[in-house]
Amino acid sequence: MAEIIEKTAESIRDMTIRGAGRIARAGASAMGDFAAGYNGTSLDDFRRDIKKNAAILTASRPTAVSLWNGVRATMRGLSFVSTLQEAKDLVVSNSEEFVEISSRAVATIAKIGANRIKSGDVIMTHCNSSAAIGVIKEAHRQGKDIKVYATESRPWRQGILTVNELAEAGIDTTLIIDSAVRTVMKGVDKVFVGADTITSHGALINKIGTSQLALAAHEARVQFYVCSETYKFSSATIFGDMVTIEERSIEEVVKKGEVPDSVKIFNPVFDSTPAAYIDAIITDVGMIHPGSVYDVMVRQLGDSLFEE
Ligand code: RI2
């Protein structure tokens, strides 16, 4: 059964499964499948294997706290069970519950976010966020006449996925290259982006280039909204931990032999947008100011926040 964990981790690592929400659900499901098919005989072994699996899965995309929180959610209460069967059942039900809650969160964000959009709005989005796209599609579904600019999002070009999805929904969509953001921003009313991680100070960690959208939006006085499920809030940042920004292979940027070997290539795939550039974070518990992230974390996690 360990193959399901390795296979899922590899699919997340090589981006076959991508998007902060999707990888969290994939990680949680893999933990559930592992538990359901576990054929060991000892509770201690199960606890040890589950911990090992969690470490393998979470290492596959280090920036996305969603994955960490999704995997960790499946282990909730594991230290309080007394039999192996109870432990297996608990991981399976935790996993199902996480998948259900996180999917529902995207739908809730869509409804809340769509209220910010009015007919005639020109919107910009970046990369391929199911939470941000959900908001845009919901506004369109409500009959609002909107136009969307979507960035290409080099090097993986997730913007191609975004424009396909928006066009398929019948939305007036324009694809732009990443460096066109500032030029286009003058004609934009609102920006909606997703999140990989939100820190306790309300900073956003999201696809590289997000902070450029935020800066350009700030300069042009365009509202900048982040669409984020609350499980993307990183409790570790309360205690001063920094978010690790993932760097990926240089082959994502240039083909082999395209530039001399002496040329160094730096490929960070996320960046940090300070809270000061964010007007609001649209979450499954409502729209909040970035300054309220800490309060929401404490309210949701209660005392468990301070246990580890
Ligand atoms: P949802 C993506 O990361 C993008 O950074 C996107 O904004 C974020 O996940 C959130 O996606 P990548 O996996 O959870 O393409 O909103 O690196 O779908």
PDB file of all heavy atoms in Angstrom, residues 15 17-23 25 61 66 106 126-132 156 158 193-196 205-208 210 227 229 231-232 246 248 269-270, ligand 1:
ATOM      1  N   MET A  15       4.035  17.617 -10.990  1.00  0.00           N
ATOM      2  CA  MET A  15       2.947  18.524 -11.363  1.00  0.00           C
ATOM      3  C   MET A  15       1.824  17.850 -12.165  1.00  0.00           C
ATOM      4  O   MET A  15       0.978  18.532 -12.733  1.00  0.00           O
ATOM      5  CB  MET A  15       3.460  19.750 -12.149  1.00  0.00           C
ATOM      6  CG  MET A  15       4.580  20.515 -11.493  1.00  0.00           C
ATOM      7  SD  MET A  15       4.016  21.809 -10.385  1.00  0.00           S
ATOM      8  CE  MET A  15       3.472  23.070 -11.514  1.00  0.00           C
ATOM      9  N   ILE A  17      -0.421  16.241 -10.709  1.00  0.00           N
ATOM     10  CA  ILE A  17      -1.479  16.787  -9.842  1.00  0.00           C
ATOM     11  C   ILE A  17      -0.946  18.124  -9.350  1.00  0.00           C
ATOM     12  O   ILE A  17       0.127  18.177  -8.749  1.00  0.00           O
ATOM     13  CB  ILE A  17      -1.765  15.883  -8.625  1.00  0.00           C
ATOM     14  CG1 ILE A  17      -2.096  14.457  -9.078  1.00  0.00           C
ATOM     15  CG2 ILE A  17      -2.899  16.458  -7.780  1.00  0.00           C
ATOM     16  CD1 ILE A  17      -2.214  13.460  -7.922  1.00  0.00           C
ATOM     17  N   ARG A  18      -1.669  19.216  -9.623  1.00  0.00           N
ATOM     18  CA  ARG A  18      -1.173  20.521  -9.184  1.00  0.00           C
ATOM     19  C   ARG A  18      -2.349  21.397  -8.762  1.00  0.00           C
ATOM     20  O   ARG A  18      -3.505  21.049  -8.980  1.00  0.00           O
ATOM     21  CB  ARG A  18      -0.333  21.185 -10.279  1.00  0.00           C
ATOM     22  CG  ARG A  18      -0.978  21.287 -11.643  1.00  0.00           C
ATOM     23  CD  ARG A  18      -0.596  22.539 -12.362  1.00  0.00           C
ATOM     24  NE  ARG A  18      -1.050  23.722 -11.638  1.00  0.00           N
ATOM     25  CZ  ARG A  18      -2.303  24.174 -11.664  1.00  0.00           C
ATOM     26  NH1 ARG A  18      -3.246  23.580 -12.343  1.00  0.00           N
ATOM     27  NH2 ARG A  18      -2.630  25.266 -10.972  1.00  0.00           N
ATOM     28  N   GLY A  19      -1.982  22.579  -8.195  1.00  0.00           N
ATOM     29  CA  GLY A  19      -3.001  23.470  -7.636  1.00  0.00           C
ATOM     30  C   GLY A  19      -3.087  23.145  -6.153  1.00  0.00           C
ATOM     31  O   GLY A  19      -3.211  21.965  -5.777  1.00  0.00           O
ATOM     32  N   ALA A  20      -2.992  24.200  -5.331  1.00  0.00           N
ATOM     33  CA  ALA A  20      -2.883  23.993  -3.885  1.00  0.00           C
ATOM     34  C   ALA A  20      -4.025  23.143  -3.310  1.00  0.00           C
ATOM     35  O   ALA A  20      -3.797  22.272  -2.465  1.00  0.00           O
ATOM     36  CB  ALA A  20      -2.824  25.351  -3.191  1.00  0.00           C
ATOM     37  N   GLY A  21      -5.240  23.393  -3.757  1.00  0.00           N
ATOM     38  CA  GLY A  21      -6.382  22.632  -3.248  1.00  0.00           C
ATOM     39  C   GLY A  21      -6.337  21.185  -3.713  1.00  0.00           C
ATOM     40  O   GLY A  21      -6.541  20.258  -2.917  1.00  0.00           O
ATOM     41  N   ARG A  22      -6.046  21.004  -4.990  1.00  0.00           N
ATOM     42  CA  ARG A  22      -6.032  19.637  -5.543  1.00  0.00           C
ATOM     43  C   ARG A  22      -4.962  18.775  -4.878  1.00  0.00           C
ATOM     44  O   ARG A  22      -5.196  17.603  -4.579  1.00  0.00           O
ATOM     45  CB  ARG A  22      -5.799  19.661  -7.049  1.00  0.00           C
ATOM     46  CG  ARG A  22      -7.051  20.076  -7.817  1.00  0.00           C
ATOM     47  CD  ARG A  22      -6.892  19.866  -9.311  1.00  0.00           C
ATOM     48  NE  ARG A  22      -7.770  20.776 -10.009  1.00  0.00           N
ATOM     49  CZ  ARG A  22      -7.376  21.943 -10.486  1.00  0.00           C
ATOM     50  NH1 ARG A  22      -6.124  22.324 -10.384  1.00  0.00           N
ATOM     51  NH2 ARG A  22      -8.248  22.737 -11.075  1.00  0.00           N
ATOM     52  N   ILE A  23      -3.777  19.347  -4.643  1.00  0.00           N
ATOM     53  CA  ILE A  23      -2.722  18.519  -4.037  1.00  0.00           C
ATOM     54  C   ILE A  23      -3.083  18.178  -2.582  1.00  0.00           C
ATOM     55  O   ILE A  23      -2.761  17.095  -2.110  1.00  0.00           O
ATOM     56  CB  ILE A  23      -1.304  19.148  -4.156  1.00  0.00           C
ATOM     57  CG1 ILE A  23      -1.184  20.487  -3.436  1.00  0.00           C
ATOM     58  CG2 ILE A  23      -0.874  19.286  -5.597  1.00  0.00           C
ATOM     59  CD1 ILE A  23       0.244  21.054  -3.460  1.00  0.00           C
ATOM     60  N   ARG A  25      -6.131  17.669  -1.452  1.00  0.00           N
ATOM     61  CA  ARG A  25      -7.121  16.580  -1.508  1.00  0.00           C
ATOM     62  C   ARG A  25      -6.456  15.269  -1.931  1.00  0.00           C
ATOM     63  O   ARG A  25      -6.780  14.205  -1.404  1.00  0.00           O
ATOM     64  CB  ARG A  25      -8.281  16.947  -2.449  1.00  0.00           C
ATOM     65  CG  ARG A  25      -9.238  17.964  -1.818  1.00  0.00           C
ATOM     66  CD  ARG A  25     -10.474  18.187  -2.661  1.00  0.00           C
ATOM     67  NE  ARG A  25     -10.202  19.017  -3.815  1.00  0.00           N
ATOM     68  CZ  ARG A  25     -10.133  20.352  -3.797  1.00  0.00           C
ATOM     69  NH1 ARG A  25     -10.331  21.000  -2.664  1.00  0.00           N
ATOM     70  NH2 ARG A  25      -9.883  21.035  -4.887  1.00  0.00           N
ATOM     71  N   ARG A  61       5.744  19.107  -2.259  1.00  0.00           N
ATOM     72  CA  ARG A  61       5.593  20.530  -2.624  1.00  0.00           C
ATOM     73  C   ARG A  61       5.750  21.322  -1.325  1.00  0.00           C
ATOM     74  O   ARG A  61       4.769  21.579  -0.631  1.00  0.00           O
ATOM     75  CB  ARG A  61       4.202  20.839  -3.211  1.00  0.00           C
ATOM     76  CG  ARG A  61       3.824  20.413  -4.618  1.00  0.00           C
ATOM     77  CD  ARG A  61       4.707  20.820  -5.763  1.00  0.00           C
ATOM     78  NE  ARG A  61       4.790  22.213  -6.164  1.00  0.00           N
ATOM     79  CZ  ARG A  61       3.931  22.863  -6.948  1.00  0.00           C
ATOM     80  NH1 ARG A  61       2.835  22.301  -7.369  1.00  0.00           N
ATOM     81  NH2 ARG A  61       4.155  24.111  -7.319  1.00  0.00           N
ATOM     82  N   SER A  66      -1.278  23.935   2.236  1.00  0.00           N
ATOM     83  CA  SER A  66      -2.528  23.197   2.005  1.00  0.00           C
ATOM     84  C   SER A  66      -2.264  21.697   2.092  1.00  0.00           C
ATOM     85  O   SER A  66      -3.032  20.952   2.700  1.00  0.00           O
ATOM     86  CB  SER A  66      -3.092  23.538   0.625  1.00  0.00           C
ATOM     87  OG  SER A  66      -2.149  23.217  -0.386  1.00  0.00           O
ATOM     88  N   VAL A 106     -14.440  25.712  -1.725  1.00  0.00           N
ATOM     89  CA  VAL A 106     -14.268  26.370  -3.030  1.00  0.00           C
ATOM     90  C   VAL A 106     -15.609  26.952  -3.489  1.00  0.00           C
ATOM     91  O   VAL A 106     -15.680  28.087  -3.990  1.00  0.00           O
ATOM     92  CB  VAL A 106     -13.700  25.371  -4.084  1.00  0.00           C
ATOM     93  CG1 VAL A 106     -13.594  26.023  -5.455  1.00  0.00           C
ATOM     94  CG2 VAL A 106     -12.346  24.840  -3.649  1.00  0.00           C
ATOM     95  N   HIS A 126      -4.274  35.285 -12.246  1.00  0.00           N
ATOM     96  CA  HIS A 126      -2.910  34.800 -12.485  1.00  0.00           C
ATOM     97  C   HIS A 126      -2.868  33.292 -12.249  1.00  0.00           C
ATOM     98  O   HIS A 126      -3.548  32.784 -11.358  1.00  0.00           O
ATOM     99  CB  HIS A 126      -1.974  35.514 -11.501  1.00  0.00           C
ATOM    100  CG  HIS A 126      -0.521  35.224 -11.698  1.00  0.00           C
ATOM    101  ND1 HIS A 126       0.105  35.315 -12.915  1.00  0.00           N
ATOM    102  CD2 HIS A 126       0.447  34.838 -10.806  1.00  0.00           C
ATOM    103  CE1 HIS A 126       1.392  35.019 -12.772  1.00  0.00           C
ATOM    104  NE2 HIS A 126       1.611  34.721 -11.508  1.00  0.00           N
ATOM    105  N   CYS A 127      -2.073  32.607 -13.047  1.00  0.00           N
ATOM    106  CA  CYS A 127      -1.894  31.166 -12.908  1.00  0.00           C
ATOM    107  C   CYS A 127      -3.233  30.430 -13.087  1.00  0.00           C
ATOM    108  O   CYS A 127      -4.062  30.851 -13.907  1.00  0.00           O
ATOM    109  CB  CYS A 127      -1.217  30.824 -11.579  1.00  0.00           C
ATOM    110  SG  CYS A 127      -0.581  29.131 -11.557  1.00  0.00           S
ATOM    111  N   ASN A 128      -3.446  29.401 -12.314  1.00  0.00           N
ATOM    112  CA  ASN A 128      -4.665  28.605 -12.463  1.00  0.00           C
ATOM    113  C   ASN A 128      -5.135  28.201 -11.070  1.00  0.00           C
ATOM    114  O   ASN A 128      -4.690  27.200 -10.523  1.00  0.00           O
ATOM    115  CB  ASN A 128      -4.360  27.355 -13.328  1.00  0.00           C
ATOM    116  CG  ASN A 128      -5.572  26.470 -13.513  1.00  0.00           C
ATOM    117  OD1 ASN A 128      -5.662  25.395 -12.931  1.00  0.00           O
ATOM    118  ND2 ASN A 128      -6.516  26.928 -14.291  1.00  0.00           N
ATOM    119  N   SER A 129      -6.006  29.043 -10.530  1.00  0.00           N
ATOM    120  CA  SER A 129      -6.521  28.795  -9.188  1.00  0.00           C
ATOM    121  C   SER A 129      -7.987  28.412  -9.266  1.00  0.00           C
ATOM    122  O   SER A 129      -8.808  29.194  -9.767  1.00  0.00           O
ATOM    123  CB  SER A 129      -6.350  30.052  -8.333  1.00  0.00           C
ATOM    124  OG  SER A 129      -7.290  30.051  -7.292  1.00  0.00           O
ATOM    125  N   SER A 130      -8.325  27.241  -8.750  1.00  0.00           N
ATOM    126  CA  SER A 130      -9.732  26.833  -8.793  1.00  0.00           C
ATOM    127  C   SER A 130     -10.585  27.761  -7.935  1.00  0.00           C
ATOM    128  O   SER A 130     -11.751  28.023  -8.271  1.00  0.00           O
ATOM    129  CB  SER A 130      -9.900  25.380  -8.379  1.00  0.00           C
ATOM    130  OG  SER A 130      -9.074  25.073  -7.305  1.00  0.00           O
ATOM    131  N   ALA A 131     -10.003  28.301  -6.851  1.00  0.00           N
ATOM    132  CA  ALA A 131     -10.780  29.212  -5.998  1.00  0.00           C
ATOM    133  C   ALA A 131     -11.077  30.518  -6.743  1.00  0.00           C
ATOM    134  O   ALA A 131     -12.222  31.007  -6.738  1.00  0.00           O
ATOM    135  CB  ALA A 131     -10.012  29.486  -4.707  1.00  0.00           C
ATOM    136  N   ALA A 132     -10.065  31.091  -7.405  1.00  0.00           N
ATOM    137  CA  ALA A 132     -10.275  32.360  -8.125  1.00  0.00           C
ATOM    138  C   ALA A 132     -11.169  32.143  -9.350  1.00  0.00           C
ATOM    139  O   ALA A 132     -12.070  32.949  -9.627  1.00  0.00           O
ATOM    140  CB  ALA A 132      -8.926  32.942  -8.546  1.00  0.00           C
ATOM    141  N   TRP A 156       5.356  27.122 -16.360  1.00  0.00           N
ATOM    142  CA  TRP A 156       4.455  25.993 -16.605  1.00  0.00           C
ATOM    143  C   TRP A 156       3.250  26.361 -17.471  1.00  0.00           C
ATOM    144  O   TRP A 156       2.511  25.507 -17.906  1.00  0.00           O
ATOM    145  CB  TRP A 156       4.011  25.358 -15.276  1.00  0.00           C
ATOM    146  CG  TRP A 156       4.934  24.246 -14.881  1.00  0.00           C
ATOM    147  CD1 TRP A 156       6.121  24.372 -14.235  1.00  0.00           C
ATOM    148  CD2 TRP A 156       4.783  22.854 -15.162  1.00  0.00           C
ATOM    149  NE1 TRP A 156       6.715  23.145 -14.087  1.00  0.00           N
ATOM    150  CE2 TRP A 156       5.922  22.186 -14.632  1.00  0.00           C
ATOM    151  CE3 TRP A 156       3.815  22.090 -15.796  1.00  0.00           C
ATOM    152  CZ2 TRP A 156       6.096  20.802 -14.738  1.00  0.00           C
ATOM    153  CZ3 TRP A 156       3.994  20.717 -15.889  1.00  0.00           C
ATOM    154  CH2 TRP A 156       5.131  20.090 -15.367  1.00  0.00           C
ATOM    155  N   GLN A 158       0.346  27.700 -16.712  1.00  0.00           N
ATOM    156  CA  GLN A 158      -0.969  27.278 -16.204  1.00  0.00           C
ATOM    157  C   GLN A 158      -2.079  28.199 -16.707  1.00  0.00           C
ATOM    158  O   GLN A 158      -3.260  27.851 -16.659  1.00  0.00           O
ATOM    159  CB  GLN A 158      -0.975  27.279 -14.670  1.00  0.00           C
ATOM    160  CG  GLN A 158      -0.171  26.182 -14.010  1.00  0.00           C
ATOM    161  CD  GLN A 158       1.218  26.664 -13.621  1.00  0.00           C
ATOM    162  OE1 GLN A 158       1.815  27.501 -14.296  1.00  0.00           O
ATOM    163  NE2 GLN A 158       1.764  26.121 -12.552  1.00  0.00           N
ATOM    164  N   VAL A 193      -6.849  36.426  -7.291  1.00  0.00           N
ATOM    165  CA  VAL A 193      -5.841  35.369  -7.408  1.00  0.00           C
ATOM    166  C   VAL A 193      -6.096  34.316  -6.327  1.00  0.00           C
ATOM    167  O   VAL A 193      -6.809  34.574  -5.356  1.00  0.00           O
ATOM    168  CB  VAL A 193      -4.395  35.922  -7.246  1.00  0.00           C
ATOM    169  CG1 VAL A 193      -4.019  36.844  -8.389  1.00  0.00           C
ATOM    170  CG2 VAL A 193      -4.205  36.604  -5.890  1.00  0.00           C
ATOM    171  N   GLY A 194      -5.485  33.168  -6.501  1.00  0.00           N
ATOM    172  CA  GLY A 194      -5.594  32.107  -5.502  1.00  0.00           C
ATOM    173  C   GLY A 194      -4.478  32.230  -4.476  1.00  0.00           C
ATOM    174  O   GLY A 194      -3.778  33.248  -4.412  1.00  0.00           O
ATOM    175  N   ALA A 195      -4.319  31.175  -3.682  1.00  0.00           N
ATOM    176  CA  ALA A 195      -3.274  31.173  -2.650  1.00  0.00           C
ATOM    177  C   ALA A 195      -2.690  29.786  -2.501  1.00  0.00           C
ATOM    178  O   ALA A 195      -3.411  28.792  -2.600  1.00  0.00           O
ATOM    179  CB  ALA A 195      -3.871  31.601  -1.309  1.00  0.00           C
ATOM    180  N   ASP A 196      -1.410  29.746  -2.277  1.00  0.00           N
ATOM    181  CA  ASP A 196      -0.784  28.491  -1.875  1.00  0.00           C
ATOM    182  C   ASP A 196      -0.687  28.458  -0.357  1.00  0.00           C
ATOM    183  O   ASP A 196      -0.959  27.437   0.267  1.00  0.00           O
ATOM    184  CB  ASP A 196       0.590  28.340  -2.528  1.00  0.00           C
ATOM    185  CG  ASP A 196       0.421  27.939  -3.989  1.00  0.00           C
ATOM    186  OD1 ASP A 196       0.315  26.728  -4.263  1.00  0.00           O
ATOM    187  OD2 ASP A 196       0.339  28.837  -4.837  1.00  0.00           O
ATOM    188  N   ILE A 205       1.461  33.830  -0.155  1.00  0.00           N
ATOM    189  CA  ILE A 205       2.475  33.116  -0.929  1.00  0.00           C
ATOM    190  C   ILE A 205       1.719  32.455  -2.073  1.00  0.00           C
ATOM    191  O   ILE A 205       0.829  31.630  -1.849  1.00  0.00           O
ATOM    192  CB  ILE A 205       3.195  32.022  -0.087  1.00  0.00           C
ATOM    193  CG1 ILE A 205       3.585  32.525   1.299  1.00  0.00           C
ATOM    194  CG2 ILE A 205       4.381  31.456  -0.860  1.00  0.00           C
ATOM    195  CD1 ILE A 205       4.621  33.618   1.356  1.00  0.00           C
ATOM    196  N   ASN A 206       2.038  32.853  -3.276  1.00  0.00           N
ATOM    197  CA  ASN A 206       1.321  32.305  -4.450  1.00  0.00           C
ATOM    198  C   ASN A 206       2.261  32.282  -5.643  1.00  0.00           C
ATOM    199  O   ASN A 206       3.423  32.719  -5.545  1.00  0.00           O
ATOM    200  CB  ASN A 206       0.080  33.159  -4.727  1.00  0.00           C
ATOM    201  CG  ASN A 206      -0.895  32.489  -5.678  1.00  0.00           C
ATOM    202  OD1 ASN A 206      -1.241  31.320  -5.495  1.00  0.00           O
ATOM    203  ND2 ASN A 206      -1.324  33.185  -6.701  1.00  0.00           N
ATOM    204  N   LYS A 207       1.764  31.795  -6.761  1.00  0.00           N
ATOM    205  CA  LYS A 207       2.580  31.612  -7.968  1.00  0.00           C
ATOM    206  C   LYS A 207       3.459  32.816  -8.262  1.00  0.00           C
ATOM    207  O   LYS A 207       3.007  33.959  -8.156  1.00  0.00           O
ATOM    208  CB  LYS A 207       1.637  31.342  -9.152  1.00  0.00           C
ATOM    209  CG  LYS A 207       2.299  31.067 -10.485  1.00  0.00           C
ATOM    210  CD  LYS A 207       3.253  29.917 -10.447  1.00  0.00           C
ATOM    211  CE  LYS A 207       2.613  28.654  -9.937  1.00  0.00           C
ATOM    212  NZ  LYS A 207       3.598  27.618  -9.544  1.00  0.00           N
ATOM    213  N   ILE A 208       4.701  32.543  -8.633  1.00  0.00           N
ATOM    214  CA  ILE A 208       5.656  33.598  -8.943  1.00  0.00           C
ATOM    215  C   ILE A 208       5.005  34.610  -9.906  1.00  0.00           C
ATOM    216  O   ILE A 208       4.338  34.220 -10.861  1.00  0.00           O
ATOM    217  CB  ILE A 208       6.967  33.003  -9.547  1.00  0.00           C
ATOM    218  CG1 ILE A 208       8.070  34.041  -9.642  1.00  0.00           C
ATOM    219  CG2 ILE A 208       6.721  32.325 -10.894  1.00  0.00           C
ATOM    220  CD1 ILE A 208       8.782  34.290  -8.369  1.00  0.00           C
ATOM    221  N   THR A 210       2.780  36.846  -8.736  1.00  0.00           N
ATOM    222  CA  THR A 210       1.594  37.379  -8.051  1.00  0.00           C
ATOM    223  C   THR A 210       1.910  38.739  -7.435  1.00  0.00           C
ATOM    224  O   THR A 210       1.100  39.667  -7.506  1.00  0.00           O
ATOM    225  CB  THR A 210       1.124  36.398  -6.948  1.00  0.00           C
ATOM    226  OG1 THR A 210       0.863  35.138  -7.548  1.00  0.00           O
ATOM    227  CG2 THR A 210      -0.112  36.913  -6.242  1.00  0.00           C
ATOM    228  N   CYS A 227      -8.301  34.686  -3.064  1.00  0.00           N
ATOM    229  CA  CYS A 227      -9.321  33.669  -2.795  1.00  0.00           C
ATOM    230  C   CYS A 227      -8.624  32.489  -2.133  1.00  0.00           C
ATOM    231  O   CYS A 227      -7.795  31.827  -2.762  1.00  0.00           O
ATOM    232  CB  CYS A 227      -9.968  33.208  -4.105  1.00  0.00           C
ATOM    233  SG  CYS A 227     -10.552  34.595  -5.098  1.00  0.00           S
ATOM    234  N   GLU A 229      -9.007  29.173   0.757  1.00  0.00           N
ATOM    235  CA  GLU A 229      -9.631  28.345   1.784  1.00  0.00           C
ATOM    236  C   GLU A 229      -8.816  28.532   3.074  1.00  0.00           C
ATOM    237  O   GLU A 229      -7.597  28.709   3.022  1.00  0.00           O
ATOM    238  CB  GLU A 229      -9.588  26.852   1.386  1.00  0.00           C
ATOM    239  CG  GLU A 229     -10.285  26.533   0.069  1.00  0.00           C
ATOM    240  CD  GLU A 229      -9.360  26.650  -1.158  1.00  0.00           C
ATOM    241  OE1 GLU A 229      -8.478  27.532  -1.171  1.00  0.00           O
ATOM    242  OE2 GLU A 229      -9.532  25.865  -2.092  1.00  0.00           O
ATOM    243  N   TYR A 231      -7.849  26.483   5.210  1.00  0.00           N
ATOM    244  CA  TYR A 231      -6.808  25.484   5.513  1.00  0.00           C
ATOM    245  C   TYR A 231      -5.483  25.822   4.817  1.00  0.00           C
ATOM    246  O   TYR A 231      -4.504  25.114   4.998  1.00  0.00           O
ATOM    247  CB  TYR A 231      -7.277  24.054   5.187  1.00  0.00           C
ATOM    248  CG  TYR A 231      -7.440  23.759   3.721  1.00  0.00           C
ATOM    249  CD1 TYR A 231      -6.347  23.387   2.943  1.00  0.00           C
ATOM    250  CD2 TYR A 231      -8.676  23.861   3.103  1.00  0.00           C
ATOM    251  CE1 TYR A 231      -6.483  23.128   1.598  1.00  0.00           C
ATOM    252  CE2 TYR A 231      -8.826  23.598   1.766  1.00  0.00           C
ATOM    253  CZ  TYR A 231      -7.717  23.232   1.019  1.00  0.00           C
ATOM    254  OH  TYR A 231      -7.860  22.984  -0.319  1.00  0.00           O
ATOM    255  N   LYS A 232      -5.472  26.900   4.050  1.00  0.00           N
ATOM    256  CA  LYS A 232      -4.196  27.363   3.474  1.00  0.00           C
ATOM    257  C   LYS A 232      -3.489  28.363   4.406  1.00  0.00           C
ATOM    258  O   LYS A 232      -2.435  28.879   4.077  1.00  0.00           O
ATOM    259  CB  LYS A 232      -4.425  27.982   2.096  1.00  0.00           C
ATOM    260  CG  LYS A 232      -4.877  26.953   1.061  1.00  0.00           C
ATOM    261  CD  LYS A 232      -5.215  27.585  -0.257  1.00  0.00           C
ATOM    262  CE  LYS A 232      -5.703  26.549  -1.247  1.00  0.00           C
ATOM    263  NZ  LYS A 232      -6.279  27.162  -2.456  1.00  0.00           N
ATOM    264  N   GLU A 246       9.528  27.197  -2.914  1.00  0.00           N
ATOM    265  CA  GLU A 246      10.012  26.091  -3.743  1.00  0.00           C
ATOM    266  C   GLU A 246      10.772  26.602  -4.968  1.00  0.00           C
ATOM    267  O   GLU A 246      10.323  27.523  -5.637  1.00  0.00           O
ATOM    268  CB  GLU A 246       8.787  25.273  -4.186  1.00  0.00           C
ATOM    269  CG  GLU A 246       9.102  24.081  -5.046  1.00  0.00           C
ATOM    270  CD  GLU A 246       7.827  23.422  -5.586  1.00  0.00           C
ATOM    271  OE1 GLU A 246       6.699  23.879  -5.286  1.00  0.00           O
ATOM    272  OE2 GLU A 246       7.977  22.450  -6.341  1.00  0.00           O
ATOM    273  N   ARG A 248      12.314  25.124  -8.581  1.00  0.00           N
ATOM    274  CA  ARG A 248      12.184  23.929  -9.402  1.00  0.00           C
ATOM    275  C   ARG A 248      13.286  23.861 -10.452  1.00  0.00           C
ATOM    276  O   ARG A 248      14.107  24.772 -10.579  1.00  0.00           O
ATOM    277  CB  ARG A 248      10.782  23.884 -10.034  1.00  0.00           C
ATOM    278  CG  ARG A 248       9.688  23.730  -8.971  1.00  0.00           C
ATOM    279  CD  ARG A 248       8.322  23.602  -9.578  1.00  0.00           C
ATOM    280  NE  ARG A 248       8.182  22.436 -10.417  1.00  0.00           N
ATOM    281  CZ  ARG A 248       7.791  21.235 -10.009  1.00  0.00           C
ATOM    282  NH1 ARG A 248       7.496  21.046  -8.732  1.00  0.00           N
ATOM    283  NH2 ARG A 248       7.676  20.239 -10.857  1.00  0.00           N
ATOM    284  N   VAL A 269       9.305  29.315  -7.781  1.00  0.00           N
ATOM    285  CA  VAL A 269       7.974  29.211  -8.386  1.00  0.00           C
ATOM    286  C   VAL A 269       6.868  29.904  -7.595  1.00  0.00           C
ATOM    287  O   VAL A 269       5.721  29.933  -8.039  1.00  0.00           O
ATOM    288  CB  VAL A 269       7.613  27.745  -8.710  1.00  0.00           C
ATOM    289  CG1 VAL A 269       8.546  27.204  -9.771  1.00  0.00           C
ATOM    290  CG2 VAL A 269       7.635  26.850  -7.496  1.00  0.00           C
ATOM    291  N   PHE A 270       7.237  30.454  -6.460  1.00  0.00           N
ATOM    292  CA  PHE A 270       6.245  31.233  -5.697  1.00  0.00           C
ATOM    293  C   PHE A 270       6.877  32.546  -5.260  1.00  0.00           C
ATOM    294  O   PHE A 270       8.104  32.672  -5.235  1.00  0.00           O
ATOM    295  CB  PHE A 270       5.788  30.451  -4.452  1.00  0.00           C
ATOM    296  CG  PHE A 270       5.095  29.162  -4.804  1.00  0.00           C
ATOM    297  CD1 PHE A 270       5.740  27.949  -4.703  1.00  0.00           C
ATOM    298  CD2 PHE A 270       3.785  29.169  -5.271  1.00  0.00           C
ATOM    299  CE1 PHE A 270       5.117  26.760  -5.057  1.00  0.00           C
ATOM    300  CE2 PHE A 270       3.150  27.991  -5.633  1.00  0.00           C
ATOM    301  CZ  PHE A 270       3.811  26.786  -5.528  1.00  0.00           C
TER     302      PHE A 270
HETATM  303  P1  RI2 B   1      -6.195  26.513  -6.038  1.00  0.00           P
HETATM  304  C1  RI2 B   1      -1.194  26.948  -7.872  1.00  0.00           C
HETATM  305  O1  RI2 B   1       0.059  26.396  -7.739  1.00  0.00           O
HETATM  306  C2  RI2 B   1      -1.149  28.448  -8.125  1.00  0.00           C
HETATM  307  O2  RI2 B   1      -0.148  29.132  -7.424  1.00  0.00           O
HETATM  308  C3  RI2 B   1      -2.534  28.801  -7.651  1.00  0.00           C
HETATM  309  O3  RI2 B   1      -2.694  30.183  -7.447  1.00  0.00           O
HETATM  310  C4  RI2 B   1      -2.600  27.999  -6.375  1.00  0.00           C
HETATM  311  O4  RI2 B   1      -1.989  26.758  -6.699  1.00  0.00           O
HETATM  312  C5  RI2 B   1      -3.948  27.821  -5.788  1.00  0.00           C
HETATM  313  O5  RI2 B   1      -4.738  26.940  -6.522  1.00  0.00           O
HETATM  314  P2  RI2 B   1       0.727  25.327  -8.763  1.00  0.00           P
HETATM  315  O6  RI2 B   1       0.366  23.961  -8.212  1.00  0.00           O
HETATM  316  O7  RI2 B   1      -6.062  25.741  -4.774  1.00  0.00           O
HETATM  317  O8  RI2 B   1       0.272  25.525 -10.170  1.00  0.00           O
HETATM  318  O9  RI2 B   1      -7.015  27.762  -5.869  1.00  0.00           O
HETATM  319  O10 RI2 B   1       2.185  25.598  -8.585  1.00  0.00           O
HETATM  320  O11 RI2 B   1      -6.700  25.642  -7.177  1.00  0.00           O
END
